[in-house]
Amino acid sequence: MKIEKTSHSRIRKMNFKNIDFGNQYSDHMFCSEFKNGKWKNSIIKPFGKIMFSPISLVFHYGQAVFEGMKAYKDKNEEVFLFRPEENLKRINRSAARLEMPTIPENIFMIGLKNLINIDRDWVPKYYGQSLYIRPFLIATNGALSAKPSQDYMFIIISAPADTYYKHPLKIKIEEKYSRSASGGIGFTKAAGNYASSFYPTRLANEKGFDQILWTDSSTHTMIEESGTMNVFFHLKNKLITPKFNDNILGGITCKSILSLAEKEGFFVEERNISVSEIIEGLQTGELREAFGCGTAVVINYFKTISYKENNFDLPNLSEKERISLYFKKRLLDIQHNLSEDPFGWRVQLKRYF
């Protein structure tokens, strides 16, 4: 692997106490090309622009998939990744579904670890903060005919991150628009999945809601995801979440919460959840709490759920009563090396630069 370090780090301009997520990027990026059926030209170089032909099929037919992951620091400023092998599995599932080449483990892991080691000063040291890491794979050539590209580029960039949402969320159950459909690509992290969500989300924002609670495309009667998050409900003393299927992204944070909950003796169910069941729980008070989870957001609880123009406020629990905050702390403590990691999720990055 070739490494070209920047001669002018931008980190001196970075204020880690006031992180503007998505607008401040670390000094370097990793790139690797897929040409003639082989991966080649792996390089870490200064973060910057990349030139592509206007006929690259990423622009025309949407061959683009990505991942979201994070690096954390502990009190000794050692750096850790969280379950990176799961991100590799998921980006390759996404790539295969969009007829793109899968990324070899050595290219993904060596590129990732080298990149974060070089930019380890960009990993914030404060609890709850992290370095958000964005691996992505795009088509880089082609002709204007509807068939897969032959050439691709795999890139990893990173950005310091703070809390994604700073308040409890108001959520609207979607009754018209759909995020995905059976047999489609809802289970992938394809770029187009997110683009198609922007318009209905804006409509919800204009009515005062933070996000959408997506429902199935056929009947809009079954719960799927919330915005870009998996969703949990604390209902009738059980922690329930929609069972993963072709419509729902298999969230790594969601899987981690399920593992923690089962290990600690919570009653957990992964199953189909109807809108009517959630509304009944809100009306009877049996729905104690609802929250979304994902890499960027970690965990954020819902304040209000709206359906058919009716707003239902969830119980006003104390912090100690909230199961969402309990699991958020459990996850962050593992990620920041403040507690034991019984699952082996934490991967320490040893210094070798």
Side-chain angles (χ1 to χ4, degrees), residues 3 18 56 73 125 169 192 209 219-220 229 304 336:
I3 296 176
N18 184 26
S56 295
K73 272 183 179 169
K125 63 182 180 181
L169 304 181
F209 300 102
T219 65
H220 293 291
M229 304 174 286
T304 302
H336 285 282

Side-chain angles (χ1 to χ4, degrees), residues 101-137:
T102 56
I103 304 160
E105 181 178 4
N106 65 321
I107 289 177
F108 185 95
M109 290 299 182
I110 293 173
L112 171 67
K113 291 178 179 180
N114 275 275
L115 177 66
I116 305 308
N117 252 307
I118 289 173
D119 281 345
R120 65 188 302 130
D121 289 343
W122 285 86
V123 183
K125 63 182 180 181
Y126 301 108
Y127 185 82
Q129 293 185 342
S130 59
L131 184 69
Y132 182 82
I133 305 165
R134 170 57 59 86
F136 59 102
L137 177 66

Side-chain angles (χ1 to χ4, degrees), residues 239 260-261 266 299 323-331:
L239 188 64
L260 280 169
F266 287 84
I299 293 174
I323 198 170
S324 58
L325 296 183
Y326 172 79
F327 283 116
K328 183 174 184 177
K329 186 176 187 305
R330 289 288 288 113
L331 276 176

Side-chain angles (χ1 to χ4, degrees), residues 8 11 13 16 24 28 39 53 60 92 104 106 109 124 136 170 192 196 210 263 274 281 283 348:
H8 299 287
I11 199 165
K13 298 180 181 179
F16 285 98
Q24 299 158 306
H28 299 89
W39 288 96
S53 166
H60 302 279
N92 279 339
N106 65 321
M109 290 299 182
F136 59 102
K170 293 182 66 176
S196 65
D210 297 294
K263 181 175 176 59
S274 68
Q283 292 172 331
Q348 184 172 359

Side-chain angles (χ1 to χ4, degrees), residues 166-213:
K166 298 185 183 295
H167 59 271
L169 304 181
K170 293 182 66 176
I171 302 295
K172 174 184 176 293
I173 295 178
E174 184 55 50
E175 301 171 57
K176 177 180 179 180
Y177 298 101
S178 301
R179 176 190 169 275
S180 61
S182 284
I185 58 172
F187 70 95
T188 72
K189 284 187 76 70
N193 285 347
Y194 296 79
S196 65
S197 74
F198 294 160
Y199 175 70
T201 301
R202 177 176 63 79
L203 297 181
N205 294 159
E206 289 174 352
K207 293 185 176 182
F209 300 102
D210 297 294
Q211 267 297 352
I212 286 170
L213 192 57

Side-chain angles (χ1 to χ4, degrees), residues 22-65:
N23 288 308
Q24 299 158 306
Y25 294 89
S26 58
D27 285 326
H28 299 89
M29 60 186 184
F30 170 78
C31 302
S32 188
E33 295 179 273
F34 183 86
K35 289 189 174 184
N36 300 318
K38 295 181 179 179
W39 288 96
K40 59 182 70 175
N41 301 328
S42 293
I43 184 172
I44 291 174
K45 60 184 180 180
F47 179 91
K49 296 180 179 180
I50 299 175
M51 300 294 292
F52 295 117
S53 166
I55 62 169
S56 295
L57 295 191
V58 64
F59 303 130
H60 302 279
Y61 304 120
Q63 277 191 295
V65 298

